[in-house]
Each structure stands twice: as C-alpha cells, then as structure tokens.
Amino acid sequence: MSDYPILEFKNNDLNYGFDLAFMEKLLPKKFSNHSPFEYHQIEFFVFILYTDGEEFHTIDFTDYHCKKGTLLAIRKGQIHKFSNKAIKGNILIFDYEFLGSFFTKNEAQKSLLLFNEFINKPKIQLNKKEYAILFDIVLKIQDEYFNNKDSFSAGIIRSFLQVFITQIYRFKTASGPRNINKMYLQEFIQLQNSIESRYKETLKVKDYADFLGLSTKALNQITKSIVNKTAKDFIDEICINNIKRELVNSNKSVKEISYDSGFEETTNFNNYFKKRVGKTPLEFRNN
C-alpha cells in the first residue's frame, strides 16, 4: 500500500457521477484525509480550467506551468498536486459511468483518449478565442449544476461536457493533428490496461502478446504506430512510472518495492531502474 491518499468519486448531493468545484474555494479548505498540495491519487477524471493566477501543477512527477487559459486533463489512477492557493479556476470532475451511460462506447473511449498521457499531453494552453469558447460552456454547466438540479440536469450536463470535449479535439486538430493509426487503437488500449495490471508479474513482450492473442511483431507494430515506441520500451515506461510512485509515496524499503515489482534480486532492480531513469531508486527517492 502507498502512503499517498486515494480519492474516490463522491458527491452526496447528486445521484450521478459529476461534480464541479472552484479552485479558489477548494484549495484554502482543510481536508481530513489529504492535502491538495501533496501527492494524491484520483479514481475519477478531472478537467481543470485556470482563470487567474499561476502555479506549477505536478502530474506523475512532471511539473506543468499553469496560468489563465491553461487546461489540464488528469485521468483516473494518476497522482497530482497543486502548488499555489492563490489561483482561480474551474474543476470538472466525473467518472466513466457518467460518460458511458449517455455516450456510445466509441464516443466514451474517444473522449477518454484526451486523458491518456501516452497519446495526449495533460496540458493544453488555450488562446483567447479557445479559452472564451470553453469558459462559456463551463458557465452553462455551472448554471445547470447549481441553479436547476432537476431530472433533466444530468443529460444536459453530459451534453455540454460532450461539446466541451469535442471543442478540445477541434482545437487540437487546428493546431496540427497528430496522426494516430486508429486501426490499432483498441489493441493499444487493451495492451496499456494489461501492462498496468500485470507489470509486477512480467515485463516480457511475449507474455503480453500471448495475453492479447497476438504475435510479438504485431505488438511492436501497435506501439510503434501509436506512440512510436517498441513494445518493450512501452512496457518499461509504465513499470518505471509505477515504481516512481511507490518510491516517492511509500514507506516501503527499496528491497520491498523491488520484490513487489517482480524482481527477485535488488541488484537487478537497481540496474533496471538506473538504466531508464539515470538514478538509482534510492537516489530518486531522496532527490
């Protein structure tokens, strides 16, 4: 178990999986189970739209400079933290069921690709026109969420959220579309999910190929076409990122983390980590 708190979706006022908060009201509060300024893991999806102030927001050990017009997309399972109380903005929070109960499966999967850090960067810096468009949608969601709250609200908010997401895709396309081979996208997501759940059991490309009923050649073709990495590099990147979380946010010894991560010898674990990070696990923890 890690020491950083895991936040599950909870909204006692509504019977559907959506919530909305303002940073200027949320961040100064004292929470009994976590601090927004320390790493915490979320079990839901979040859009953060900055309207004033500046900070460095950390998502999975990467700092992102955020200011007015910054949009962050943070997915379920990631760890993150704020760094400044004196910022303003809107936080849109929702779970997969909130999208899935209204969107088609393809629409929901496409929407969640915005939160996949291997395909899209968590940060988008909007220009004035883009910011105005998204902020207007957020205002409509706010009005529905706070002022109406009737039996139609869930569907209306989902519709606005769909427009919000579709507008983001429009902005991304206008700024230069990234070519992703959609033919392999479903297999890529399946592979990513499989690695996330099994990396402690195996780091072998052949094992993941067998899990998916594919050849190792096909697996390499999939990862090359989506993220321009070999399957082995992709497996290692996910494993290393999870090990980093353990090192920074757990009281376990390096030896314990080594064993939990599937390494029988701590020396092999140290060499594996240093080759890919440039530091030993202990150096990374103490940095």
Side-chain angles (χ1 to χ4, degrees):
M1 291 291 292
S2 61
D3 285 345
Y4 53 82
I6 299 175
L7 306 186
E8 296 182 352
F9 182 87
K10 187 177 182 181
N11 188 335
N12 295 326
D13 296 329
L14 298 175
N15 60 359
Y16 51 86
F18 178 84
D19 202 357
L20 190 152
F22 301 99
M23 284 191 280
E24 56 267 36
K25 294 182 179 180
L26 185 69
L27 296 181
K29 290 174 63 177
K30 290 186 177 180
F31 297 88
S32 60
N33 61 341
H34 80 288
S35 166
F37 306 101
E38 300 293 337
Y39 274 125
H40 52 283
Q41 181 176 326
I42 58 173
E43 290 300 296
F44 40 81
F45 298 89
V46 173
F47 280 122
I48 302 177
L49 180 62
Y50 288 75
T51 60
D52 194 24
E54 290 188 52
E55 73 159 351
F56 282 95
H57 196 109
T58 308
I59 306 172
D60 279 343
F61 312 104
T62 299
D63 295 332
Y64 297 93
H65 179 228
C66 301
K67 58 183 180 179
K68 180 177 180 179
T70 298
L71 178 71
L72 295 180
I74 309 173
R75 69 169 172 85
K76 176 181 177 179
Q78 288 188 299
I79 58 173
H80 77 117
K81 61 181 177 179
F82 294 85
S83 65
N84 183 8
K85 289 183 180 180
I87 51 176
K88 295 182 179 180
N90 300 272
I91 306 175
L92 305 180
I93 304 164
F94 55 94
D95 57 22
Y96 178 78
E97 287 70 26
F98 184 70
L99 288 182
S101 63
F102 183 77
F103 291 2
T104 66
K105 184 178 180 180
N106 286 339
E107 287 174 332
Q109 287 181 341
K110 181 182 178 182
S111 298
L112 295 183
L113 287 179
L114 280 176
F115 295 88
N116 191 315
E117 69 274 22
F118 291 101
I119 297 175
N120 290 294
K121 298 288 186 183
K123 174 189 170 182
I124 303 171
Q125 189 61 46
L126 306 167
N127 62 36
K128 288 184 178 180
K129 181 179 179 181
E130 293 167 346
Y131 171 79
I133 290 170
L134 291 190
F135 186 65
D136 182 63
I137 298 171
V138 172
L139 290 179
K140 289 181 171 67
I141 293 175
Q142 286 179 21
D143 183 58
E144 190 62 40
Y145 184 77
F146 291 112
N147 299 328
N148 291 322
K149 284 192 175 181
D150 58 21
S151 59
F152 301 101
S153 293
I156 291 171
I157 290 172
R158 274 190 290 257
S159 295
F160 282 136
L161 189 58
Q162 184 180 30
V163 174
F164 188 90
I165 291 169
T166 304
Q167 286 286 6
I168 295 171
Y169 274 113
R170 171 182 278 175
F171 302 155
K172 281 181 166 289
T173 301
S175 63
R178 178 181 172 185
N179 293 323
I180 294 177
N181 193 331
K182 294 180 180 179
M183 181 173 67
Y184 296 120
L185 195 53
Q186 185 174 349
E187 287 85 356
F188 175 80
I189 298 299
Q190 289 174 341
L191 172 61
Q192 184 178 355
N193 291 337
S194 183
I195 299 168
E196 289 281 1
S197 61
R198 290 185 165 113
Y199 75 91
K200 292 184 178 182
E201 301 171 19
T202 180
L203 297 173
K204 295 179 180 178
V205 175
K206 187 178 186 308
D207 289 339
Y208 289 102
D210 290 343
F211 291 146
L212 298 180
L214 299 168
S215 66
T216 56
K217 182 179 179 181
L219 217 60
N220 276 295
Q221 191 171 7
I222 289 166
T223 56
K224 280 281 190 179
S225 67
I226 302 296
V227 291
N228 196 31
K229 300 176 187 291
T230 65
K232 178 58 177 169
D233 285 343
F234 185 55
I235 293 167
D236 287 341
E237 186 168 351
I238 291 176
C239 178
I240 288 292
N241 203 38
N242 280 283
I243 291 171
K244 285 179 177 179
R245 294 175 185 174
E246 286 287 320
L247 288 168
V248 172
N249 299 285
S250 170
N251 286 326
K252 291 179 182 178
S253 67
V254 170
K255 185 176 181 179
E256 287 177 299
I257 295 173
S258 169
Y259 182 78
D260 289 347
S261 300
F263 291 83
E264 294 183 2
E265 297 292 336
T266 305
T267 301
N268 293 338
F269 175 72
N270 288 338
N271 292 338
Y272 174 82
F273 189 88
K274 186 172 183 178
K275 180 180 178 181
R276 289 156 182 82
V277 180
K279 300 176 181 178
T280 66
L282 190 59
E283 287 171 343
F284 180 83
R285 167 175 269 177
N286 295 333
N287 187 22

